Structures are given as C-alpha cells and as structure tokens.
Amino acid sequence: IGLALSAPNAVLPVIYVLPLMTVSASKGTGVVTSVPSDAPDDYRGLLDLKEKPAMRTKFGVRDEWVLPFEPQPIIDTPDYGSL
C-alpha cells in the first residue's frame, strides 16, 4: 500500500497502490487496475478512502495518495458526457 507506480497509458504520471476490500492479496499480487467507470466497487472504494480519515489511518494511507485524485474520464458520450 502506498507504492508509487507509473502505469502504461495512464493520464497521470504517478498513481498509488491503495487498499480495496473486494481484492484479496492471497490471490496473485492483490494489485489490480481500478476502473471506477466500470466497477462501482472501485468508485466507492476511492470515495471511502477520501471521506473516511479513520479508514486511511487503519490502512496507513497518506492523504496525498488519495485526496488530490478524482477518477479520470476515459470516454465521452453525447447522452452521458464524460465517464
């Protein structure tokens, strides 16, 4: 948790490994790409970390790894806008 990464084709130069309750570290690395537009759990997980300081403390997540970030739109549609 907290490892700074550079992901291929990412919009941001640095992203951080964050906990997500639906991902198990006992299966593979436990690290997955978060796609909030595709998975409500990913979006809710980010919001939980942003909204709950106690949760950040529990997992050792620093504010600067979470608070400045918002999901990045990856597609724009006429009916729904940026997603």
Side-chain angles (χ1 to χ4, degrees):
I1 293 176
L3 180 65
L5 301 173
S6 175
N9 302 316
V11 176
L12 302 171
V14 175
I15 58 174
Y16 295 93
V17 174
L18 301 172
L20 184 62
M21 302 310 101
T22 58
V23 175
S24 174
S26 66
K27 296 180 182 178
T29 64
V31 176
V32 298
T33 302
S34 174
V35 185
S37 63
D38 292 350
D41 285 347
D42 292 355
Y43 181 69
R44 187 66 249 171
L46 177 62
L47 290 182
D48 285 345
L49 287 169
K50 289 175 74 103
E51 296 170 355
K52 299 177 180 178
M55 186 177 207
R56 292 195 302 275
T57 299
K58 176 181 178 180
F59 290 102
V61 174
R62 295 182 184 166
D63 291 353
E64 60 267 24
W65 299 343
V66 177
L67 297 181
F69 296 96
E70 295 297 330
Q72 299 294 305
I74 59 170
I75 190 170
D76 188 53
T77 64
D79 293 335
Y80 298 106
S82 295
L83 304 171

